[in-house]
């Protein structure tokens, strides 16, 4: 429609040929991020063994955040950056030994009875990319679903990472006090969802770890008020992400349809009263005809003058109310939009637990500082801002350790990626090529 009546006294004029107008987006109301806490999932009816606990009010939470990330120019890059810092240089295993007031890690000796079994197992995990996939799941959703298969002897075979989009917690029966199973269904949160397509999988129980030939280990941080699913900290940046996502949409719409509403047109309330117009329909049609003519005259063509008439009261020496066309000034400059976009990027990087200097995105200033500053930031990020999530990723491997009877004194950890910066990295750092330990000895081998 060319003329849209927004309210009794306000109209929006749009010229279709000149593509000038306004864009209105209707967004859903804010939804509660909490999840059902009852034993039977909402709306599921009686317990049937295939009902699940919804992830979000409409079971839409993962899909909603996926769309949000996909609309963003940098959200997936931030998620991937978080993933990369979590896995570092990969998993190592060995023994922790005290050295004064602190514990030091020492790689397991190849002569240890469990060395070959653990080394082969971790190598197989690296071949299928388990830790990268699990870190991606944790960085995106805050949940890691891992399948643990057992052989006939009860030893763990190769674990595998399950996609959070396909996994839900099975609704608890009235007599259950803990999660006993999960439902796997490729269509959770979709219109094509059918309960009958779900397949129940037993939950891993550390107290009876060999009860099932296949079970699901659910690794998550237990957030207050979230008894079933966790969520990643970056989900709290939803508003800032939407702000950043709207800025390119605004400019794209502006480039194709024209920026902003240009004029405010004021009419006296009796301006459209005209003799001969008796019915409301006739008055309304006359009003629309005048507004359409004004719309055409203001439709973005060059070298045009607009003339309006008003009456003048000689006695009071004042202009009587008449048509008034007021140009509207847009004080929101390009620099203001850029500043807002950069602020949103910084807020998003913080929400992902990634220091802005390491985020890999332009935050409006220098992409990085000096080499020494980047080195310090990278090491701080790995040593202080990844600890709890790295421990989360290693939980299934610790269960495998117990299932396979490996020495319980053996510890697993993610090795940090050492950063080498000329003239600032300590000589004895593993990253420094001048480290004496890396220099060849008399036999031609490194020390």
């Amino acid at each position: 429609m060319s003329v849209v009546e927004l309210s009794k006294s306000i109209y929006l004029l749009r010229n279709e040929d000149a593509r000038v107008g306004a864009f209105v987006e209707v967004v859903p109301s804010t939804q509660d991020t909490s999840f059902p806490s009852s034993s039977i999932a909402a709306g599921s009816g009686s317990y049937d063994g295939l009902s699940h606990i919804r992830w979000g009010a409409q079971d839409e939470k993962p899909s909603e955040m996926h769309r949000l990330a996909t609309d963003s120019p940098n959200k997936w890059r931030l998620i991937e950056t978080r993933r990369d810092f979590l896995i570092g240089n990969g998993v190592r295993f060995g023994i922790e030994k005290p050295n004064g007031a602190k514990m030091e890690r020492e790689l397991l000796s190849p002569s240890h009875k469990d060395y070959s079994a653990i080394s082969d197992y971790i190598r197989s995990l690296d071949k299928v990319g388990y830790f990268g996939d699990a870190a991606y799941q944790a960085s995106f959703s805050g949940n890691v679903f891992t399948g643990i298969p057992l052989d006939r002897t009860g030893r763990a075979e190769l674990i595998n990472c399950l996609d959070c989009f396909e996994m839900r917690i099975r609704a608890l029966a009235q007599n259950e006090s803990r999660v006993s199973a999960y439902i796997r269904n490729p269509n959770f949160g979709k219109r094509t969802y059918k309960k009958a397509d779900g397949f129940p999988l037993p939950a891993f129980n550390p107290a009876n770890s060999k009860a099932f030939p296949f079970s699901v280990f659910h690794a998550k941080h237990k957030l207050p008020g979230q008894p079933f699913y966790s969520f990643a900290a970056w989900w709290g940046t939803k508003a800032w992400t939407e702000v950043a996502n709207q800025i390119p949409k605004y400019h794209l719409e502006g480039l194709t349809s024209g920026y902003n509403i240009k004029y405010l047109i004021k009419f006296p309330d009796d301006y459209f009263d005209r003799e001969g117009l008796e019915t409301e329909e006739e008055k309304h049609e006359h009003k629309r005809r005048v507004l359409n003519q004004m719309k055409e005259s203001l439709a973005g063509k060059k070298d045009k003058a607009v003339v309006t008439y008003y009456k003048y009261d000689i006695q009071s020496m004042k202009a009587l109310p008449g048509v008034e066309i007021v140009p509207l000034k847009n004080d929101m400059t390009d620099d203001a939009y850029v500043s807002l976009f950069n602020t949103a990027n910084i807020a998003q990087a913080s929400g992902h637990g990634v220091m802005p200097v390491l985020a890999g995105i332009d935050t409006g200033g220098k992409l990085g500082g000096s080499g020494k500053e980047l080195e310090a930031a990278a090491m701080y990020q790995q040593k202080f801002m990844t600890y709890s999530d790295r421990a989360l990723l290693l939980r299934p491997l610790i269960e495998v350790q117990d299932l396979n009877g490996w020495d319980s004194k053996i510890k697993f950890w993610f090795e940090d990626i050492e950063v080498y910066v000329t003239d600032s990295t300590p000589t004895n750092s593993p990253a420094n090529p001048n480290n004496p330990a890396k220099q060849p000895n008399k036999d031609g081998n490194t020390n």
Side-chain angles (χ1 to χ4, degrees):
M1 185 177 294
S2 298
V3 179
V4 181
E5 185 174 356
L6 301 180
S7 69
K8 181 179 179 181
S9 303
I10 303 174
Y11 293 82
L12 176 64
L13 310 183
R14 179 179 178 86
N15 182 276
E16 303 298 338
D17 295 332
R19 300 178 66 84
V20 177
F23 173 75
V24 179
E25 181 179 6
V26 180
V27 298
S29 60
T30 303
Q31 295 180 342
D32 187 3
T33 59
S34 62
F35 309 116
S37 58
S38 61
S39 58
I40 300 295
S44 64
S46 60
Y47 185 80
D48 56 11
L50 286 177
S51 298
H52 68 278
I53 296 175
R54 295 171 183 168
W55 197 342
Q58 301 299 323
D59 207 19
E60 83 296 347
K61 212 61 186 176
S63 297
E64 175 191 352
M65 302 314 292
H66 193 283
R67 287 192 297 270
L68 188 71
T70 303
D71 287 343
S72 169
N74 51 41
K75 183 61 72 176
W76 283 115
R77 178 64 263 178
L78 283 168
I79 295 171
E80 291 171 352
T81 299
R82 178 68 183 174
R83 174 204 62 188
D84 294 344
F85 273 111
L86 286 181
I87 61 178
N89 205 27
V91 173
R92 302 292 183 266
F93 59 98
I95 304 296
E96 287 186 340
K97 294 183 177 181
N99 183 7
K102 64 179 183 178
M103 299 292 291
E104 288 188 348
R105 292 167 175 168
E106 179 181 298
L107 293 175
L108 192 67
S109 170
S111 61
H112 191 283
K113 66 180 183 67
D114 293 325
Y115 179 85
S116 294
I118 298 175
S119 178
D120 291 345
Y121 194 90
I122 292 180
R123 182 173 181 273
S124 295
L125 290 178
D126 288 339
K127 287 173 66 176
V128 299
Y130 169 80
F131 288 108
D133 293 343
Y136 219 154
Q137 293 284 326
S139 299
F140 172 76
S141 72
N143 297 260
V144 181
F145 298 93
T146 298
I148 303 181
L150 304 182
D151 62 17
R152 293 182 179 180
T153 66
R155 294 174 64 86
E157 296 182 332
L158 201 63
I159 57 177
N160 57 90
C161 187
L162 306 173
D163 197 317
C164 68
F165 280 78
E166 298 183 355
M167 300 300 298
R168 295 292 189 272
I169 296 172
R170 188 175 72 178
L172 275 63
Q174 294 294 347
N175 60 343
E176 286 186 319
S177 59
R178 57 175 293 275
V179 175
S180 63
Y182 297 84
I183 304 294
R184 188 174 189 180
N185 190 317
N187 296 314
F188 284 125
K190 301 178 182 178
R191 294 182 179 179
T192 54
Y193 166 75
K194 295 179 181 178
K195 183 188 292 188
D197 294 337
F199 186 80
L201 297 171
F204 181 84
N205 183 2
N208 190 12
S209 57
K210 299 184 179 183
F212 303 99
F214 183 91
S215 57
V216 176
F217 185 94
H218 184 187
K220 63 171 183 174
H221 297 302
K222 293 184 178 179
L223 299 182
Q226 305 297 305
F228 297 111
Y229 305 101
S230 184
F231 58 82
W234 74 266
W235 287 16
T237 69
K238 181 175 182 289
W240 272 117
T241 306
E242 290 174 335
V243 168
N245 290 356
Q246 287 301 320
I247 293 174
K249 291 181 181 179
Y250 164 79
H251 285 295
L252 179 62
E253 180 69 19
L255 290 171
T256 57
S257 300
Y259 282 95
N260 304 319
I261 296 176
K262 305 293 186 182
Y263 304 100
L264 170 64
I265 304 175
K266 300 180 180 180
F267 293 95
D269 57 5
D270 61 349
Y271 182 81
F272 293 103
D273 291 346
R274 179 179 176 184
E275 293 184 7
L277 300 178
E278 298 180 356
T279 66
E280 288 298 324
E281 289 77 9
E282 290 176 335
K283 294 179 180 179
H284 188 69
E285 180 58 31
H286 172 64
K287 184 186 298 185
R288 291 181 60 82
R289 185 166 56 253
V290 173
L291 291 175
N292 271 305
Q293 290 173 347
M294 294 194 70
K295 176 199 68 176
E296 295 297 333
S297 68
L298 297 173
K301 297 179 182 178
K302 296 181 180 180
D303 303 322
K304 179 171 292 185
V306 178
V307 179
T308 64
Y309 295 89
Y310 59 88
K311 296 180 180 180
Y312 201 84
D313 188 343
I314 299 178
Q315 294 182 353
S316 63
M317 301 298 290
K318 292 181 180 180
L320 297 175
V323 177
E324 183 180 2
I325 300 178
V326 182
L328 298 180
K329 182 180 179 182
N330 178 19
D331 294 326
M332 193 70 169
T333 63
D334 287 342
D335 289 341
Y337 284 114
V338 171
S339 177
L340 179 61
F341 184 72
N342 292 333
T343 301
N345 283 342
I346 294 172
Q348 292 184 73
S350 299
H352 283 266
V354 177
M355 299 175 68
V357 70
L358 302 172
I361 58 174
D362 185 4
T363 55
K366 296 181 296 182
L367 189 59
S370 66
K372 188 173 183 179
E373 291 172 340
L374 286 173
E375 177 188 22
M379 296 313 297
Y380 179 85
Q381 175 78 35
Q382 292 181 91
K383 293 185 180 298
F384 293 95
M385 300 184 71
T386 61
Y387 180 83
S388 61
D389 280 348
R390 284 180 170 183
L392 185 79
L393 297 176
L394 291 173
R395 289 182 192 175
L397 187 57
I398 295 174
E399 295 296 344
V400 171
Q401 179 182 18
D402 291 342
L403 285 165
N404 291 357
W406 298 335
D407 188 346
S408 61
K409 294 180 181 179
I410 297 174
K411 303 295 182 182
F412 301 93
W413 64 86
F414 287 93
E415 183 179 39
D416 294 333
I417 296 177
E418 300 285 343
V419 180
Y420 171 65
V421 179
T422 306
D423 299 330
S424 65
T425 301
T427 304
N428 60 353
S429 170
N432 195 325
N434 299 316
N435 187 330
K438 294 186 175 183
Q439 304 308 310
N441 53 29
K442 294 180 181 180
D443 300 326
N445 300 317
T446 57
N447 295 315

